[in-house]
Amino acid sequence: MDNADRHLYFSFFNEVNIIGQLSRAQFEARLPKGVLLPHFSVLNHLVRVGDGATPLALARAFQVPKTTMTHTVSGLVQRAFVTLKSNPKDGRSKTVWLTNAGREFRDDAIKLLDDDMEALRAAIPADKISALVPALEEIRVFLDAYRNEPEDP
Amino acid sequence: MDNADRHLYFSFFNEVNIIGQLSRAQFEARLPKGVLLPHFSVLNHLVRVGDGATPLALARAFQVPKTTMTHTVSGLVQRAFVTLKSNPKDGRSKTVWLTNAGREFRDDAIKLLDDDMEALRAAIPADKISALVPALEEIRVFLDAYRNEPEDP
DNA sequence: ATTATATAGTACGATATCGCATTAAATTAA
DNA sequence: TTAATTTAATGCGATATCGTACTATATAAT
């Protein structure tokens, strides 16, 4: 690979990382102290796709180690934003359920973030974002699959 | 903002965050234990744009808090990949300089990553990445400027 | 049926990240 | 010049993240 291509791919990942850092910091500055982006993200996910997911399913959805998701979910439990129930289909497992407080918190957080979202949309219109997301999804899917590939023998 | 747009922007940041996580984990799996992506990134930056930068300038380049950069640089010093000199222009400040070991480590790391890069390029060709980077830069620049804006009075 | 293997969740330890406070030096104001 | 303010770097403390190891349960193999 020549230097130009190498630099291109490095630049891509560098931009992605910086956008991730900045957006996360911005998000968390709006949320109550101690509530982090992963907390909100999990609540939002449960609202959108429905609750009752297992912690492991959530870990996979967000591509984080399961120990990390245990930690995140325990924070949500402490704040009574979710409750855990045993999984009737699997005695090893649990299921995660939204409480009313969890739904309210998620709705309120979206309102808190809405001004920032609007400011972003004013600078970067929605069609520009729509144009990016499919390619990003493709890259994310590749990385996810690649990570699970067996090593060369 | 309607739900569709909100979800679009959330999806964008979600994809960005996951790509950041996965790429970082992949990178670090190739590097020697204890050497992290930020270590490599700083070395690579110093090689590319020249060494002698101050820690604060590096923190700004990577959009991390200066305490984080202090920590990262100290790791590079421990491994003798860089040395710190006092800044002749400012007694409060320091400058960061590559050692031969640091340059060699960076070059070797690039070789270690090259197979992964090739695999990625085979799946996502360079022109697809080039098409993304300018928009990502634009978003990053917006977020960086937005973060420094004064609050509403 | 019994045994072996795989899987879900968690406890624990290591450490990266980052906010706050401190120190020393530079800059600005009076 | 002296005093007040700003700035660069770092020590310290809190905690998120994540790897390893462990327990309990489920699934597969014999």
Side-chain angles (χ1 to χ4, degrees), chain A residues 1-3 5-24 26-27 30 37 40-41 44 48 61-64 110 113-133 135-140 142-144 146-147 151-152, chain B residues 1-3 5-24 26-27 30 37 40-41 44 48 61-64 110 113-133 135-140 142-144 146-147 151-152:
Chain A
M1 181 173 298
D2 62 30
N3 282 335
D5 265 15
R6 189 149 41 220
H7 181 55
L8 173 65
Y9 284 83
F10 275 124
S11 297
F12 169 75
F13 287 116
N14 196 36
E15 294 296 340
V16 162
N17 270 291
I18 292 179
I19 290 172
Q21 281 171 14
L22 292 177
S23 64
R24 182 174 175 159
Q26 192 78 35
F27 266 29
R30 301 293 182 208
L37 175 62
F40 170 81
S41 297
N44 196 43
R48 285 191 57 81
F62 290 97
Q63 304 286 12
V64 295
I110 283 180
L113 297 173
D114 230 34
D115 288 348
D116 296 326
M117 286 293 208
E118 290 288 6
L120 174 59
R121 187 169 62 170
I124 320 276
D127 58 351
K128 198 162 213 168
I129 302 291
S130 336
L132 294 175
V133 170
L136 293 175
E137 279 173 356
E138 192 185 351
I139 294 166
R140 185 254 301 160
F142 167 80
L143 290 175
D144 184 32
Y146 185 71
R147 151 177 91 130
E151 301 295 316
D152 292 352
Chain B
M1 181 174 299
D2 63 29
N3 282 334
D5 265 15
R6 188 149 42 219
H7 181 55
L8 173 65
Y9 284 83
F10 275 125
S11 297
F12 168 75
F13 287 116
N14 195 37
E15 293 297 340
V16 161
N17 270 291
I18 292 179
I19 291 171
Q21 282 171 13
L22 292 177
S23 64
R24 180 172 179 162
Q26 193 78 37
F27 265 29
R30 301 295 182 207
L37 175 61
F40 170 81
S41 297
N44 196 42
R48 286 191 56 83
F62 290 97
Q63 305 286 12
V64 294
I110 283 178
L113 297 173
D114 230 34
D115 288 349
D116 296 326
M117 287 292 208
E118 290 288 4
L120 175 59
R121 187 169 60 171
I124 320 278
D127 57 352
K128 197 161 213 167
I129 302 291
S130 337
L132 295 175
V133 171
L136 294 175
E137 279 173 358
E138 193 185 348
I139 295 166
R140 185 254 302 159
F142 168 79
L143 290 175
D144 184 32
Y146 186 70
R147 150 178 91 129
E151 300 294 317
D152 291 353

Side-chain angles (χ1 to χ4, degrees), chain A residues 59-132:
Chain A
R60 289 190 176 127
F62 290 97
Q63 304 286 12
V64 295
K66 58 184 180 175
T67 55
T68 302
M69 189 52 68
T70 295
H71 186 74
T72 300
V73 169
S74 79
L76 293 172
V77 170
Q78 278 172 27
R79 289 168 190 276
F81 291 159
V82 301
T83 54
L84 292 177
K85 298 182 186 174
S86 57
N87 186 346
K89 297 180 182 169
D90 187 336
R92 297 166 299 181
S93 182
K94 299 182 179 172
T95 52
V96 183
W97 300 89
L98 288 161
T99 63
N100 287 335
R103 290 179 196 277
E104 280 169 25
F105 178 85
R106 179 261 184 183
D107 291 344
D108 291 348
I110 283 180
K111 285 176 199 144
L112 284 173
L113 297 173
D114 230 34
D115 288 348
D116 296 326
M117 286 293 208
E118 290 288 6
L120 174 59
R121 187 169 62 170
I124 320 276
D127 58 351
K128 198 162 213 168
I129 302 291
S130 336
L132 294 175

